[in-house]
């Protein structure tokens, strides 16, 4: 079945540094979503990308969907302590399923 | 307030004792789903439902049952829990088609002794 791999598993950065997490699928995705889970919390939807090569921005966050629709990335510019958490990608498989990546846990050191 | 309500938040039980985790949403979503979260494995889908009386298996359905008798409720049933079902469980719901934004409940931390 479809697999969605996410790297890195962990990332520690100094506050103000940039951060990127990558998501790679074994198959072509119809769309991809990104979620953020704060420590002790539940996943919260950030964004959905649908088109090949699509780039979307939300303030300091930039999301990209690859041309082949098999990979995606989330880039955070100038991290802040409020960015701490685990970031998940989720790729749609078939008609009704989303396969989640393993997540990247981000720690921001003040 | 739009939300997905999961209960209980924490549950400790013993092997073999049947339990139910409830999930309810007030957004009239067609789609509901259960996930389990384990360290290093991300979120794995257990079951999902596209509508009332329509359910299907996710990636890890063994040992679980679900039902969707009403649109708003989607309980997760463990008929004979085992220690390998110790995990953090999340219920989620969304509309389907277009912006399929999943709304998650607060989670249920289950320990099976």
């Amino acid at each position: 079945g479809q697999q969605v791999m996410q790297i890195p598993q962990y990332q520690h950065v100094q506050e103000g540094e940039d951060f990127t997490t990558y998501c790679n699928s074994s198959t072509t995705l119809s769309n991809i979503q990104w979620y953020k889970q704060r420590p002790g919390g539940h996943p919260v939807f950030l964004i959905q990308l649908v088109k090949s090569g699509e780039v979307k921005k939300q303030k300091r966050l930039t999301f990209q969907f690859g041309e082949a629709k098999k990979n995606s990335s989330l880039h955070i510019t100038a991290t802040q302590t409020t960015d701490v958490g685990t970031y998940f990608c989720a790729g749609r498989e078939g008609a009704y399923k989303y396969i989640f990546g393993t997540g990247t846990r981000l720690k921001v050191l003040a | 307030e739009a939300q997905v309500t999961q209960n209980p938040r924490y549950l400790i039980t013993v092997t073999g004792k049947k339990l139910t985790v409830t999930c309810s949403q007030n957004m009239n979503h067609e789609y509901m789903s259960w996930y389990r979260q384990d360290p290093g494995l991300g979120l794995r889908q257990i079951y999902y439902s596209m509508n009332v009386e329509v359910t299907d298996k996710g990636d890890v359905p063994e040992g679980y049952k679900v039902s969707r008798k009403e649109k708003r409720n989607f309980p997760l049933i463990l008929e004979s829990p085992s220690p390998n079902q110790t995990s953090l469980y999340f219920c989620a719901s969304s509309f389907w088609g277009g912006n399929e934004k999943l709304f998650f409940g607060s989670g249920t931390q289950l320990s099976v002794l």
Side-chain angles (χ1 to χ4, degrees):
Chain A
Q2 181 186 17
Q3 289 186 327
V4 178
M5 304 302 294
Q6 214 174 324
I7 56 169
Q9 191 173 1
Y10 301 97
Q11 184 83 58
H12 293 182
V13 299
Q14 283 292 135
E15 190 174 20
E17 290 182 339
D18 292 356
F19 159 77
T20 305
T21 174
Y22 301 91
C23 187
N24 294 290
S25 170
S26 56
T27 58
T28 302
L29 303 169
S30 50
N31 64 38
I32 195 154
Q33 297 180 340
W34 285 91
Y35 291 82
K36 176 183 178 181
Q37 183 179 21
R38 293 183 190 275
H42 57 275
V44 174
F45 176 85
L46 292 176
I47 208 158
Q48 176 171 287
L49 304 170
V50 178
K51 298 176 187 173
S52 168
E54 190 170 12
V55 178
K56 285 189 176 181
K57 292 192 175 186
Q58 288 179 351
K59 297 182 181 176
R60 295 178 294 105
L61 278 61
T62 302
F63 304 84
Q64 288 189 303
F65 200 9
E67 292 291 340
K69 299 183 79 172
K70 294 178 79 170
N71 57 71
S72 181
S73 65
L74 157 59
H75 179 83
I76 302 178
T77 304
T79 54
Q80 299 175 358
T81 53
T82 53
D83 296 324
V84 164
T86 301
Y87 293 85
F88 292 98
C89 62
R92 183 170 167 184
E93 175 186 71
Y96 304 119
K97 286 176 64 175
Y98 274 92
I99 306 294
F100 278 78
T102 47
T104 296
R105 185 185 294 180
L106 173 65
K107 267 195 169 178
V108 180
L109 307 170
Chain B
E1 180 191 350
Q3 60 185 359
V4 178
T5 303
Q6 243 182 277
N7 282 298
R9 186 76 176 87
Y10 300 94
L11 182 56
I12 300 174
T13 190
V14 295
T15 300
K17 186 175 181 183
K18 181 179 178 180
L19 66 92
T20 299
V21 184
T22 62
C23 175
S24 180
Q25 50 94 4
N26 63 0
M27 295 168 278
N28 202 34
H29 287 160
E30 306 92 27
Y31 184 87
M32 297 187 75
S33 182
W34 278 101
Y35 298 87
R36 60 178 288 173
Q37 184 174 19
D38 302 289
L41 297 177
L43 290 150
R44 293 181 294 166
Q45 191 176 49
I46 303 170
Y47 270 95
Y48 63 92
S49 168
M50 272 309 296
N51 214 326
V52 175
E53 304 293 3
V54 179
T55 63
D56 206 350
K57 295 177 182 178
D59 295 315
V60 288
E62 295 78 21
Y64 305 94
K65 282 177 59 176
V66 293
S67 68
R68 187 97 181 267
K69 296 188 174 121
E70 304 165 284
K71 195 171 185 179
R72 62 184 293 125
N73 295 323
F74 191 44
L76 179 69
I77 302 155
L78 285 72
E79 297 228 320
S80 184
S82 62
N84 65 12
Q85 291 178 298
T86 292
S87 187
L88 178 58
Y89 292 86
F90 287 104
C91 178
S93 72
S94 77
F95 291 116
W96 205 253
N99 194 356
E100 294 152 358
K101 171 181 175 178
L102 283 168
F103 289 81
F104 281 82
S106 298
T108 296
Q109 181 64 58
L110 172 65
S111 295
V112 184
L113 306 176

